[in-house]
Amino acid sequence: MGEITSNMQNIHSIFVEKNYKLYIPVFQREFVWNSDVAEQLINDFREDSNNYSIDSSQLPGYLLGNIVLIKPNDATPYYSVVDGQQRLISLTLLAKALYDRLLIKISESAIDIPVMKSWVKVQSDIDEVYSILDDENEWQGHRIIFNEFLQYGNFYSELLKMDSEKIDDLEVSGTPQNNIREVYLKFKYMIFDLTDSQLVKFTNYFKKNIKLIITVA
């Protein structure tokens, strides 16, 4: 048996620093998290950070559980997800919702260059949670890919590349696809309710304080 490693990492470390690429195999169940679960997750983060009023450096972190991955061999570019699909998909949808909101803040502040630059800095790396980018920050692919028989994977991939406003009216067929859309929209609307100060603190909280135990075989 190969070596098994297990360590706790935050979102930025997993997706940006270590650049994990993930594959959802055919034996995984469908995506079952819904808007109620998404709302509870955001409320947990809100409670943990005292309504996003505490600086991320002063918080110990929120442990979201264990993710189990398998790396078949060194030549395989992706880790197969054995356990943790629901959390991983939801976190990438949350990153997409955050990125979309920050993109609007950047656009709204275009006439005030210092303010715009501050929002660009806050937004930095968020899209790398769900996208793989090259050295020139050009899109190369999705962070999570799916076995071709998992049809909701195609919907998930399409949603990540859509403009935020188009997702509101997006018609879907199938429960997993609807769950993906509803989770994204719940995140989107809850993020829109944040003040500018809360949005900045929540973005940093998302990157630094949400943690997963990554177990790799």
Side-chain angles (χ1 to χ4, degrees), residues 8-216:
M8 185 166 62
Q9 303 174 47
N10 63 24
I11 299 299
H12 189 269
S13 173
I14 296 167
F15 295 111
V16 180
E17 294 175 9
K18 296 186 182 299
N19 196 31
Y20 273 88
K21 302 175 181 70
L22 305 169
Y23 172 76
I24 308 298
V26 70
F27 61 76
Q28 285 285 0
R29 65 173 176 161
E30 295 180 333
F31 184 75
V32 298
W33 280 23
N34 56 28
S35 60
D36 290 338
V37 180
E39 182 174 2
Q40 183 60 57
L41 191 63
I42 292 294
N43 286 336
D44 286 348
F45 296 155
R46 186 190 297 273
E47 182 178 350
D48 185 54
S49 61
N50 193 24
N51 201 23
Y52 314 125
S53 64
I54 303 175
D55 191 85
S56 61
S57 63
Q58 299 176 20
L59 294 167
Y62 182 96
L63 181 59
L64 196 53
N66 192 43
I67 305 295
V68 180
L69 309 174
I70 291 178
K71 189 69 155 55
N73 54 65
D74 292 339
T76 304
Y78 289 90
Y79 291 83
S80 290
V81 178
V82 176
D83 185 47
Q85 175 198 189
Q86 310 293 318
R87 280 162 289 166
L88 290 167
I89 290 177
S90 296
L91 287 169
T92 54
L93 291 172
L94 178 51
K96 161 71 173 169
L98 260 177
Y99 182 84
D100 289 342
R101 179 57 178 146
L102 291 166
L103 202 62
I104 292 172
K105 298 302 293 185
I106 292 169
S107 177
E108 290 175 343
S109 59
I111 59 174
D112 190 332
I113 299 302
V115 174
M116 184 185 71
K117 286 183 176 180
S118 69
W119 283 118
V120 169
K121 185 177 180 180
V122 172
Q123 187 198 50
S124 175
D125 299 334
I126 287 292
D127 54 340
E128 290 191 58
V129 174
Y130 59 90
S131 299
I132 298 170
L133 308 177
D134 63 16
D135 291 339
E136 296 180 354
N137 223 34
E138 295 294 327
W139 186 86
Q140 295 294 299
H142 293 300
R143 182 69 57 186
I144 301 176
I145 63 171
F146 297 75
N147 182 279
E148 61 182 331
F149 290 103
L150 300 176
Q151 293 301 311
Y152 65 95
N154 294 330
F155 177 80
Y156 164 88
S157 300
E158 291 171 5
L159 183 146
L160 289 184
K161 298 190 75 174
M162 293 182 67
D163 293 334
S164 175
E165 63 272 12
K166 294 181 180 179
I167 299 173
D168 291 68
D169 301 320
L170 184 64
E171 295 185 5
V172 300
S173 59
T175 300
Q177 289 90 330
N178 186 64
N179 286 339
I180 289 170
R181 176 181 176 272
E182 291 303 313
V183 165
Y184 167 82
L185 290 177
K186 177 59 70 173
F187 287 149
K188 172 185 173 180
Y189 294 134
M190 294 186 80
I191 289 170
F192 260 83
D193 286 339
L194 300 179
T195 66
D196 286 357
S197 176
Q198 287 176 319
L199 180 58
V200 171
K201 283 185 166 54
F202 177 58
T203 304
N204 285 314
Y205 178 90
F206 176 77
K207 293 179 184 179
K208 301 173 184 178
N209 295 99
I210 299 174
K211 299 181 180 180
L212 297 165
I213 296 175
I214 305 294
T215 299
V216 179

